[in-house]
Amino acid sequence: RTEAAKLETNPSADSRMNRVSIVAAVAVMGLTPSLGFSVGPAFAPRLSPSALTSISPHSSPLALRSTGPASLAQAQLNRRSLSRRTPAATGMQMNFLVEGLLRIGSCMPYILPMMDSLAYGRFIFQKVPLISMIFMTPLQPFVELAQAFPMLSFVAFLGLFLFVVRNKKIPRFVRFNTMQALLLEIILIFPQILTSSNMGGLIPFMFTEFISNMTFYSVVAIVVYSCLCNLRGELPCKIPVISTAVFQQIGGGAGYED
């Protein structure tokens, strides 16, 4: 009776008890989602909708420990499924294949100037037969084909210019390299005029040999540079004069797209 009388006369004790009960209820309510219980009707009106939606089994660090082996197995399956998700894996493989074919195809037009440059390397081939084997072996089938059909080189030149360079449906990367190879083919006409039969003896033999060697070295350097850039996916547009003339033919500049 004396304790009841003290509680009745001490209102602060009731308020403290109420506060403790509220705190305990809130704590229990926060742990119930992780323990697999639901929020009771007595607590539901006191919670805001945002608070109810924020309570989920994944928000509590005790979720995996209290949900049992079934939830652990489900979690492992979810992780495996997430690890197997590769975004557009097939599309990426196809894009990689197409990109590789475009890079290799952009190197093919340079076969024409390389075939014509072999005539300018005759002095080098005589002095260093190993260089002749390096360049003649891969180009020998094309040289034999051109000798069997003398007009084949001219037909290939016109076909590449009309159906590749002028066709905007073909990627600009391929058209640029094709036009650069054809322009290099045209430039080779000028040293041929200077070195053909020494122009009736007007040009010394040493000068003819020098022009032939430098022409061969220049063509090889340009072709190697262009092919390396193509295989790396870069536009070989750093060749002085020639690359500028190519841009004038196909339009735009480096980084420009049709």
Side-chain angles (χ1 to χ4, degrees):
R1 294 179 180 177
T2 57
E3 292 179 357
K6 289 180 180 180
L7 290 174
E8 290 177 358
T9 56
N10 191 3
S12 61
D14 294 337
S15 61
R16 290 177 184 175
M17 291 294 293
N18 292 332
R19 292 176 184 175
V20 171
S21 63
I22 292 173
V23 171
V26 172
V28 172
M29 183 180 59
L31 292 176
T32 50
S34 62
L35 295 174
F37 299 103
S38 60
V39 179
F43 296 103
R46 299 182 184 181
L47 293 175
S48 61
S50 60
L52 288 175
T53 55
S54 63
I55 298 174
S56 64
H58 303 286
S59 62
S60 174
L62 300 177
L64 294 178
R65 298 181 183 178
S66 58
T67 50
S71 297
L72 289 174
Q74 186 64 31
Q76 292 178 356
L77 290 175
N78 292 336
R79 291 173 185 171
R80 291 177 184 176
S81 62
L82 288 175
S83 63
R84 292 175 183 174
R85 291 178 185 174
T86 55
T90 306
M92 292 175 64
Q93 293 177 358
M94 291 299 296
N95 292 336
F96 180 78
L97 179 61
V98 172
E99 184 73 18
L101 292 176
L102 287 178
R103 294 182 183 185
I104 296 174
S106 298
C107 300
M108 299 303 292
Y110 292 99
I111 294 177
L112 288 177
M114 278 301 303
M115 288 173 54
D116 291 341
S117 68
L118 295 177
Y120 299 100
R122 61 185 183 275
F123 300 109
I124 301 174
F125 297 157
Q126 292 174 1
K127 296 179 180 179
V128 187
L130 180 61
I131 298 178
S132 175
M133 293 178 59
I134 293 174
F135 289 96
M136 288 296 297
T137 301
L139 295 175
Q140 188 65 32
F142 302 100
V143 173
E144 294 177 355
L145 189 62
Q147 291 176 353
F149 303 95
M151 294 295 294
L152 184 61
S153 297
F154 180 72
V155 172
F157 184 95
L158 289 180
L160 289 174
F161 182 77
L162 295 176
F163 299 107
V164 177
V165 176
R166 294 302 182 186
N167 188 1
K168 292 190 176 181
K169 294 181 180 180
I170 296 177
R172 188 169 181 270
F173 188 79
V174 178
R175 294 193 296 116
F176 178 90
N177 284 278
T178 304
M179 188 62 214
Q180 188 158 263
L182 297 181
L183 190 58
L184 188 61
E185 176 87 357
I186 296 173
I187 294 175
L188 288 177
I189 297 175
F190 298 101
Q192 184 178 4
I193 296 173
L194 295 176
T195 58
S196 59
S197 302
N198 296 332
M199 293 188 67
L202 297 176
I203 300 177
F205 177 78
M206 294 182 61
F207 185 72
T208 302
E209 182 179 359
F210 175 76
I211 293 177
S212 297
N213 293 341
M214 292 304 299
T215 302
F216 178 76
Y217 289 141
S218 300
V219 173
V220 170
I222 292 173
V223 171
V224 170
Y225 161 76
S226 300
C227 291
L228 288 178
C229 289
N230 291 334
L231 295 177
R232 295 174 58 185
E234 300 175 358
L235 196 67
C237 58
K238 303 296 183 181
I239 304 174
V241 181
I242 297 178
S243 296
T244 304
V246 173
F247 282 130
Q248 292 177 356
Q249 289 292 326
I250 66 173
Y256 175 82
E257 295 293 339
D258 293 331

